[in-house]
Amino acid sequence: MCGIVGYTGESLEAEEILLDALKRLEYRGYDSAGIALIDEGEGVVEVFKRAGSIEELKQGLPPVKSKTGISHTRWATHGVPNDVNAHPHTDCSGKIALVHNGIIENYKALKERLIAEGHQFSSDTDSEIIAHIVEENYHGNLLDAVMKTVEELKGSWAILVIHAEHPGEIVAARHESPLVLGKKFDKVFAASDPTALLKYTDQFIFMEDGQIAHLKDGTIALYDLKGKEVEPIWQRITWSVEDAEKGGFEHYMLKEIYEQPSTIHQCLQGWDEGALSELNIEGTRSITIVACGTSYHAGLVGKYVIETFAGLPVTVETASEYRYSSPKDFSSLHIFISQSGETADTLAALREAKRRGNETLAITNVMGSTITREAHHTLYLRAGPEIGVAATKTFTSQVVILYLLALYIGKRRGKLLSEEVEGTLREIKHLPRAVEAILSKEEEIRNLAEMIKEATSIFYIGRFVNYPSALEGALKMKEISYIHAEGYPAGELKHGPLALLDSSLPVVAILTDDHTYDKMLSNIGEVSARGSPVIAITEEGDREVVKYTEHVLYYPKVMPILSPVPVAIYTQLLAYWTARLRGCEIDKPRNLAKSVTVE
Ligand code: AGP
């Protein structure tokens, strides 16, 4: 996830402060870094940026005496990671420099307009256009120019803007991307999170959506979108730097679980149908999804969803098996899902699928990763870097991308009407709110984790679209708590696993208000008759399940096919709290790596 820092103060130490503070955002992950400084003596803005680390950036940096500047670590979302796409970006005059976090949804239209007006661009980013719009709107007052500029933007942004003719000034704006301001004596700061600034101050203003801030000569003035000054709310933060890197959470995994309302939102915002315009959907008779681990489970959800919305048969294969399978005598669209884009088994399967003459589409979180270079088409999750080994936020983003893809294919194949697509999209847009509601129930989940923490084995059962949820719930539990866990299609229990059930083996049963509900209830009956404690995950309003168990976790009403998203939040938190109560190493479980680059 990108990181932003801004500083202005009396002393000429902007370069040193901006680089030091930026280094404290390294934990967020990045692929390039840059800094812009106002050189008062020369009356210019000096910009230094490059792909690679902050250390590498520092090596080529001349000492610049400056009291005002901005810096940025980029995690690519539009345009590959390279020197030109790195921030800060400048306008045509070179006097304005800007850093941006977020996604500008209408950048293509704005860029076309600016090009027609004679603007020249050097990068492939959506961010660069903002510097050019500020240039258009600038008539001597930088604050006014930025205020006018944000009126034209759609999407999300945290931006910092400086101008060569305004030493001692930074204008900051926020909309759906975090931005904090800090102050100590004559020094004022801005950053994408307080971690960057804890060494310098403990006094912060957390900007709200739609606010614009004017940092000038040691003061901060805050405005709403209409230009009306608003009273800032100062907060004191006493975190240690280490705590702050995890946003105050005990583990990266927990932080990443809590990021999901915003990562799902970002995924929806970043959906880019343009990436699929060349896809030969009309010509394909079937779809094959290939992936490993959690990504494979997302693929299984995708199977139900694509078959439902698009009417195409879908097979899902684990990547390590795909390459040994027999080639089919017809080609199909192959979708490869990989958070990292570097999983060796998935890449080997991708190469084999291409060798067999199939069209390939990658779904990944990492721009510029190997998978993006080798697949014919790519869709990005835009979930920000995931540091915990256990995949959490990227799973829900993968599932959301698959919903959007299924709708897109269904529409292009004439299986869905526009109204049906619009109606489902509206439902999908409610998912961040449903996730938030579950995150507020952590106490309940923790109590259930207390109940199961001594178990030596746990089963997860579900049907239809929540059969993959059961597999994913079990994977999360086993990888971080080291408790043996298995996921089953609920109907399979009686074909063997039922023999293992007794009071020492808890069963997590996932229900959805769809055609599988009654069958799931009778499966729960079978389980509880054997004395197994049942934890049911079901929709709000379910009055039946309490007849079988007192341990019920309710998720807000969603369209049944979308339920794997709220369900995943429960299974992630249950695994997390069980592992934590057992004292496990959560972010780096034994024997596992975040990215498995060997076959
Ligand atoms: C999930 O928690 C694991 N970290 C693992 O199963 C992972 O999903 C798998 O290795 C695939 O990784 P990828 O998505 O980066 O290809």
Side-chain angles (χ1 to χ4, degrees), residues 292-295 338-340 343 389-391 475-476 479 596:
C292 301
T294 291
S295 299
S338 174
Q339 182 284 128
S340 61
T343 300
V389 164
L475 177 64
K476 282 295 86 86
E479 75 181 318
V596 186

Side-chain angles (χ1 to χ4, degrees), residues 291-297 337-344 346 363-364 386 388-392 394 398 472 475-476 479 592-596:
C292 301
T294 291
S295 299
Y296 170 75
H297 298 152
I337 309 177
S338 174
Q339 182 284 128
S340 61
E342 301 295 349
T343 300
T346 311
I363 298 180
T364 186
E386 191 172 62
V389 164
T392 52
T394 54
Q398 286 167 342
E472 176 56 12
L475 177 64
K476 282 295 86 86
E479 75 181 318
L592 297 179
K594 182 67 184 159
S595 180
V596 186

Side-chain angles (χ1 to χ4, degrees), residues 473-513:
L475 177 64
K476 282 295 86 86
M477 185 60 83
K478 73 181 103 175
E479 75 181 318
I480 60 165
S481 77
Y482 313 143
I483 296 177
H484 169 249
E486 293 298 333
Y488 292 106
E492 272 297 293
L493 282 187
K494 56 187 171 298
H495 298 288
L498 217 49
L500 292 173
L501 295 189
D502 63 23
S503 60
S504 69
L505 196 152
V507 176
V508 178
I510 303 161
L511 295 110
T512 321
D513 184 18

